Amino acid sequence: MSYLHIYQEAQPQKATFQSEEASIIAEKLAEVGVRFEQWQATQILAKEATETDIINAYSQDIERLKVQGGYQTVDVVALQKGNPNAPAMREKFLFEHTHNEDEVRFFVAGYGLFCLHIADKVYQVFCQQGDLISVPDHTPHWFDMGSDPEFTAIRLFNNTEGWVAQETGSSIAKQFPLLD
């Protein structure tokens, strides 16, 4: 089940707000400019679905976002359990960083934890299959995929370079709970 936990940045051991209700998660995140939606595929996807199959299954929602946000590039990233590169890949995202564009992810399968540092709060959003999150450009955040990740996600970009991060230099990401 998806969830939102909100912490004061100075108190990483105790959440001040928690919810597992999608409408409340969306409402709370919208208050700070973050988009959260839940999507349904227009067709059943086989486990061995290709990138094209996945994009086609969600084409209406993807096209809507492309028009609304000016996104130019769409791709699919997938990581299977037992991947020997998982520890290095996990570490790549566990530091606080920003982007010059929105970070838009839709979870086709699996899960991940987005941690957003907004003002004096940290918003931890556990996203799973069916969840879309769009983190606005220049929002400090980090992402945890867990120690043995398994997920498939659609990514939308405003530029053709893909994922480009600017490190904030803060160590805050080390202070908050991770997936495991």
Side-chain angles (χ1 to χ4, degrees), residues 18-135:
Q18 299 180 15
S19 181
E20 295 178 351
E21 190 172 323
S23 63
I24 293 173
I25 294 169
E27 179 183 310
K28 283 290 193 185
L29 291 175
E31 291 173 3
V32 292
V34 176
R35 179 182 222 151
F36 180 84
E37 298 177 1
Q38 292 186 318
W39 292 359
Q40 295 294 318
T42 57
Q43 61 197 37
I44 296 173
L45 289 170
K47 186 157 179 80
E48 61 279 347
T50 66
E51 179 172 339
T52 301
D53 295 335
I54 292 167
I55 290 172
N56 287 340
Y58 295 97
S59 63
Q60 291 177 335
D61 286 311
I62 291 169
E63 288 307 313
R64 176 176 53 86
L65 285 183
K66 285 173 78 174
V67 168
Q68 291 173 349
Y71 304 113
Q72 300 174 24
T73 306
V74 177
D75 71 7
V76 175
V77 61
L79 193 59
Q80 302 305 314
K81 280 199 174 290
N83 185 314
N85 299 322
M89 292 177 77
R90 181 185 194 193
E91 200 61 35
K92 179 180 176 180
F93 304 108
L94 281 177
F95 66 95
E96 187 182 71
H97 60 276
T98 64
H99 304 282
N100 289 332
E101 65 174 343
D102 300 346
E103 182 160 346
V104 183
R105 300 293 179 269
F106 171 72
F107 286 83
V108 174
Y111 57 86
L113 181 68
F114 275 88
C115 303
L116 318 172
H117 185 194
I118 302 171
D120 62 346
K121 295 185 174 112
V122 171
Y123 296 72
Q124 288 195 326
V125 188
F126 180 77
C127 297
Q128 62 179 358
Q129 182 176 357
D131 292 344
L132 169 101
I133 188 167
S134 179
V135 179

Side-chain angles (χ1 to χ4, degrees), residues 127-152:
C127 297
Q128 62 179 358
Q129 182 176 357
D131 292 344
L132 169 101
I133 188 167
S134 179
V135 179
D137 62 348
H138 304 290
T139 301
H141 66 280
W142 59 96
F143 175 73
D144 186 19
M145 62 181 78
S147 60
D148 193 14
E150 180 174 33
F151 65 87
T152 301

